[in-house]
Amino acid sequence: SPAGAGDRSDPAGPLFREALSCASSALRLQPASLPGLSQRAIAQRELGSLDEARDTLTRALALSPDEPETLA
C-alpha cells in the first residue's frame, strides 16, 4: 500500500477514515448522490485504495458524465 494519509503514522489518516465512513453511510441512504460518491472517492484515494477510488469515480461518471467536479 502506498504511503499517504492512510498510513498509520499520518495524522490525517483517522480523518479520512471517518470521511469514508460518513460518505459510505450517506450512500446507503442515497446511492446516486454525486457529492457522496465524490467524497468517498477522495477518501479512498487518500487512504491508498486507488482501485476502489477509481471504481467509485467510474460510478459517479456513469450517473453524470458531464459533471465538472467529477471530471476534475
Side-chain angles (χ1 to χ4, degrees), residues 48-70:
S49 299
L50 301 182
D51 289 340
E52 290 87 352
R54 183 198 63 229
D55 292 346
T56 300
L57 284 175
T58 299
R59 188 171 153 204
L61 286 170
L63 292 170
S64 183
D66 298 323
E67 176 63 36
E69 184 177 327
T70 304

Side-chain angles (χ1 to χ4, degrees), residues 10-70:
D10 188 329
L15 296 175
F16 283 112
R17 284 189 289 278
E18 180 67 20
L20 179 57
S21 176
C22 289
S24 295
S25 293
L27 288 167
R28 279 192 290 278
L29 296 173
Q30 191 175 19
S33 166
L34 290 178
L37 289 167
S38 177
Q39 293 303 310
R40 182 178 187 178
I42 291 168
Q44 288 169 323
R45 180 192 68 205
E46 293 300 321
L47 291 168
S49 299
L50 301 182
D51 289 340
E52 290 87 352
R54 183 198 63 229
D55 292 346
T56 300
L57 284 175
T58 299
R59 188 171 153 204
L61 286 170
L63 292 170
S64 183
D66 298 323
E67 176 63 36
E69 184 177 327
T70 304

